[in-house]
């Protein structure tokens, strides 16, 4: 091969090499750093909550832990970065965090104009209203003129404006930056109503000195699909986060739990063996160890275990699975197979 031909070949292949390097950038940066930087909300028991000692717990927190288990082999190697809804996308775009597990609703605008990608739906919810019992409000039609606390930069802020406009009603928006501020505004009487995702409203209600003083209206305002978010342009990282979520759902579907996943290594079930990394593509397509999915289940649990631990009947919020049940139990959670 002449020097001229060699240079031409390098010139033609360089874009492919650069693209491959870009695709692997976040994964290798996380590995080099030794921990995952995960953007989370604050003040939401069951989803993302930090105690006085700085210990984080919650459904979204466990999703971050699952990604760390897959990439680094250790679910503890996570640094949670508390963010408001208003600045969460900027933090992701700038590289301050590697992903968002931030109760973030999936919309067309967010998915197509912010340079970000939703890696899947981790939680289905409805949006609605929590009202002060003393206000005597029992249905949405009685919200005329109400002062409504709503978090800036959320879909609830937009949906609340749509709701009042569509129903020809006026309201006084009290726009806040954090769930804590919404809670304080509600307790202080600045607003008699808080708008948001119902599960998040339940989390805020649980923090009131007298939770029974607040009422959840049964009528819904909108539907919400939430999930982890990554930067666009890094397909390798997008696939890792996406398939981490799929691993949690598939793990539950295959009845693999934190307690039995080690014993299941002797299973003859081909679907289980593919999941555990003994057969099939293993970890090759993601650039991970062959047992990446098994480590997720062992260290964090499957989707059902995470839900029950943080949100279910044995947790503070005691939420029903509802649409977050697996498809064969009447829910919407389904994941493509490990093939």
């Amino acid at each position: 091969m002449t020097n001229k031909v060699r240079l031409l070949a390098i010139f033609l292949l360089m874009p492919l090499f650069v693209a491959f390097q870009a695709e692997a950038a976040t994964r290798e940066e996380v590995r080099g750093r030794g921990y995952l930087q995960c953007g989370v909300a604050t003040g939401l028991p069951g989803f993302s909550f930090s105690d006085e000692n700085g210990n984080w717990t919650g459904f979204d927190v466990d999703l971050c832990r699952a990604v760390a288990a897959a990439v680094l082999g250790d679910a503890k190697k996570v640094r949670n970065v508390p963010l408001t809804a208003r600045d969460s996308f900027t933090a992701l775009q700038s590289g301050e965090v590697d992903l968002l597990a931030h109760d973030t609703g999936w919309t067309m605008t967010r998915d197509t104009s912010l340079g970000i990608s939703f890696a899947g739906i981790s939680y289905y919810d409805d949006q609605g209203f929590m009202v002060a019992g003393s206000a005597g409000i029992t249905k949405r039609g009685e919200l005329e003129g109400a002062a409504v606390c709503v978090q800036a930069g959320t879909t609830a802020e937009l949906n609340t404006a749509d709701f009042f406009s569509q129903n020809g009603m006026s309201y006084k928006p009290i726009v806040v930056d954090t769930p804590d501020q919404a809670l304080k505004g509600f307790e202080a009487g600045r607003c008699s109503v808080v708008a948001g995702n119902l599960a998040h409203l339940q989390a805020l209600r649980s923090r009131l000195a007298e939770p029974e003083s607040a009422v959840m209206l049964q009528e819904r305002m909108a539907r919400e699909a939430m999930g982890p978010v990554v930067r666009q342009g890094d397909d390798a990282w997008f696939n890792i986060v996406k398939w981490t979520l799929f691993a949690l759902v598939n793990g539950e579907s295959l009845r693999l739990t934190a307690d039995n996943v080690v014993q299941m290594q002797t299973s003859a079930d081909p679907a289980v063996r593919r999941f555990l990394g003994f057969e099939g593509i293993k970890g090759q397509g993601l650039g991970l160890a062959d047992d990446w999915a098994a480590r997720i289940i062992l260290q964090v649990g499957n989707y059902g275990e995470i839900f029950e631990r943080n949100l279910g009947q044995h947790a503070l919020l005691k939420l029903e699975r509802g649409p977050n049940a697996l498809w064969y139990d009447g829910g919407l959670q389904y994941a493509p197979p490990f093939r």
Side-chain angles (χ1 to χ4, degrees):
M1 180 183 293
T2 66
N3 288 339
K4 185 176 181 179
V5 172
R6 185 178 294 108
L7 288 173
L8 179 60
I10 293 173
F11 176 79
L12 292 174
L13 290 174
M14 183 60 70
L16 297 177
F17 175 76
V18 172
F20 177 80
Q21 289 294 95
E23 286 183 358
T26 307
R27 181 187 63 207
E28 298 313 313
E29 184 176 344
V30 170
R31 284 175 170 164
R33 188 194 307 129
Y35 59 88
L36 175 74
Q37 297 180 143
C38 195
V40 296
T42 59
L44 288 174
F47 286 92
S48 52
F49 191 80
S50 176
D51 64 19
E52 62 276 8
N53 297 317
N55 298 313
W56 286 89
T57 58
F59 180 88
D60 293 336
V61 171
D62 277 346
L63 181 57
C64 300
R65 295 177 61 239
V67 175
V71 177
L72 299 170
D74 188 345
K76 296 178 182 178
K77 293 183 176 180
V78 178
R79 291 190 182 178
N80 293 295
V81 181
L83 299 168
T84 67
R86 198 198 298 266
D87 57 17
S88 60
F89 296 123
T90 302
L92 178 63
Q93 294 159 343
S94 68
E96 181 182 348
V97 296
D98 305 308
L99 76 141
L100 293 177
H102 190 280
D103 57 286
T104 305
W106 197 340
T107 71
M108 180 178 177
T109 299
R110 290 173 172 177
D111 205 30
T112 61
S113 63
L114 298 182
I116 63 174
S117 294
F118 283 76
I121 299 174
S122 57
Y123 193 86
Y124 294 92
D125 203 357
D126 292 327
Q127 290 185 342
F129 303 100
M130 178 176 73
V131 303
S134 59
I137 297 172
T138 59
K139 54 186 178 181
R140 297 184 310 178
E142 298 171 349
L143 292 172
E144 168 66 39
V148 181
C149 282
V150 62
Q151 194 174 347
T154 62
T155 56
E157 181 184 17
L158 303 175
N159 288 332
T160 298
D162 284 350
F163 166 79
F164 280 94
S165 176
Q166 291 164 356
N167 289 277
M169 296 190 298
S170 64
Y171 76 111
K172 180 183 178 182
I174 308 297
V175 181
V176 299
D177 284 327
T178 66
D180 277 336
Q181 291 174 2
L183 186 65
K184 290 176 181 177
F186 187 76
E187 290 180 311
R190 290 185 61 214
C191 56
S192 57
V193 180
V194 182
N197 297 330
L198 295 186
H200 298 164
L201 294 179
Q202 291 280 19
L204 291 181
R205 184 175 183 267
S206 73
R207 295 181 57 196
L208 292 170
E210 298 180 5
E212 63 279 3
S213 66
V215 177
M216 307 290 293
L217 296 187
Q218 295 302 306
E219 298 170 290
R220 307 305 192 233
M221 174 175 62
R223 300 226 69 183
E224 180 91 322
M226 296 174 285
V229 189
V230 298
R231 287 181 293 278
Q232 287 182 1
D234 191 335
D235 288 349
W237 186 246
F238 173 79
N239 284 336
I240 286 171
V241 177
K242 176 175 62 177
W243 279 94
T244 293
L245 177 56
F246 289 163
L248 294 171
V249 175
N250 273 314
E252 182 181 9
S253 181
L254 292 170
R255 294 178 171 79
L256 295 169
T257 70
D259 290 333
N260 72 13
V261 68
V262 174
Q263 292 88 331
M264 291 296 286
Q265 291 182 6
T266 60
S267 172
D269 184 336
V272 171
R273 294 187 62 77
R274 286 193 296 270
F275 185 96
L276 298 179
F278 295 122
E279 298 178 4
I281 194 172
K282 304 179 181 180
Q284 179 181 354
L286 296 174
L288 301 178
D290 289 345
D291 65 344
W292 67 274
R295 295 189 307 206
I296 291 174
I297 303 302
L298 179 63
Q299 297 181 35
V300 186
N302 63 40
Y303 182 92
E305 289 179 290
I306 291 174
F307 188 101
E308 184 58 34
R309 176 167 66 241
N310 295 295
L311 305 171
Q313 296 305 300
H314 298 292
L316 176 66
L317 301 185
K318 302 188 183 305
L319 299 179
E320 300 288 343
R321 286 287 292 268
N324 295 295
L326 296 185
W327 64 274
Y328 56 67
D329 288 328
L332 299 176
Q333 287 294 353
Y334 168 80
F338 277 46
R339 282 191 175 278

